[in-house]
Amino acid sequence: MAGTASVERVKDRATGLDKFVLREARGSSVEVYLYGGQVTFWKNNFGHQLLFVSNKATFKPPKAIRGGIQICFPQLGSHGVLEQHGFARNRFWSVDESPPPFPIATSNCHIDLILKTSQEDLKMWPHSYEFRLRVALSPRGDLILTSRIRNISSDGKPFQFTFAYHTYFSVSDISEVRVEGLETLDYLDNLQFKKRCTEQGDAVVFESEVDKVYLSAPPKIVIIDHEKKRTLVLRKEGLPDVVVWNPWDKKAKAMPDFGDDEYKNMLCVGAAAIEKPITLRPGEEWLGKQEISAVPSSYSSGQLDPEVIRRMHTI
């Protein structure tokens, strides 16, 4: 029997950090830490964990949590002058008790968080901002993240930023996974000093380390996991680019918060705004949304099964 949706604040006994647990009536659930505003667990209605978190992840500030969905702001990676992936992912967020009206329809099962300018941030990035994040579960278990960033500077100056939802997916075997929707696109290859290249394959497959930013990607990307017979459908708004990353064996062994062989069971694919930084004048607000759905699928001759296609068109 279906229950009711709930949002509960708890203190994680293992880490001592505060988090929120969102549960939908049909059985899906999400965990969101105030540290980093970071989603770490997302289970579907069948109890399957859809996100990857390293067994070696440290939940001790100021180290970012290795896995889940990292909020990369005000820059992704080394695309800027700040620390890797900016500072939002290793700050403590607050509950947004009275968020302004939401411009788009969203689920009733959600939590609103907010990150504001700190004196520490101003030393690195001298701009005043408010970053509102809504994490929501739809009735059928889809995970929706919506970010709203506002320039609240009093000096009359605009600021620029890049952004990404650095999303770690749990996969059965990286060599059996393919990503569709990015074929023929240009990308920046971070393994070749951001060299601009063009995707040649009919899908993105994985045989070695990958660290790419696909440019001007379509609003819908599909990740097909053959072994799990699962398709992850990623939809995005306000975020033109897509980040794709897997460290492979050598880099995995070099990361202290990542298991040597864990690269085989994870893949990062996330909506981003990288090539053309977002510019906000004082008082202006930007909105970027990522919605992920997990649907059963079979794969044959490059075609999704009819049920997947039907779900994708109705999401």
Side-chain angles (χ1 to χ4, degrees), residues 109-165:
C109 185
H110 66 261
I111 182 69
D112 287 295
L113 304 180
I114 187 167
L115 183 68
K116 296 183 178 182
T117 310
S118 70
Q119 291 303 312
E120 182 180 2
D121 296 342
L122 286 170
K123 294 175 183 177
M124 297 181 291
W125 197 66
H127 307 291
S128 297
Y129 67 90
E130 286 182 342
F131 187 149
R132 288 182 160 85
L133 172 67
R134 173 169 289 188
V135 179
L137 268 179
S138 78
R140 65 182 170 209
D142 302 339
L143 175 58
I144 308 159
L145 275 72
T146 309
S147 294
R148 294 186 285 173
I149 297 171
R150 181 177 293 277
N151 183 342
I152 59 169
S153 300
S154 58
D155 58 9
K157 296 180 180 179
F159 62 67
Q160 286 189 330
F161 62 90
T162 56
F163 178 92
Y165 292 114

Side-chain angles (χ1 to χ4, degrees), residues 261-276:
D261 294 321
E262 286 186 324
Y263 74 93
K264 297 176 181 178
N265 304 116
M266 58 74 63
L267 173 64
C268 283
V269 179
I274 306 299
E275 183 186 28
K276 299 176 182 177

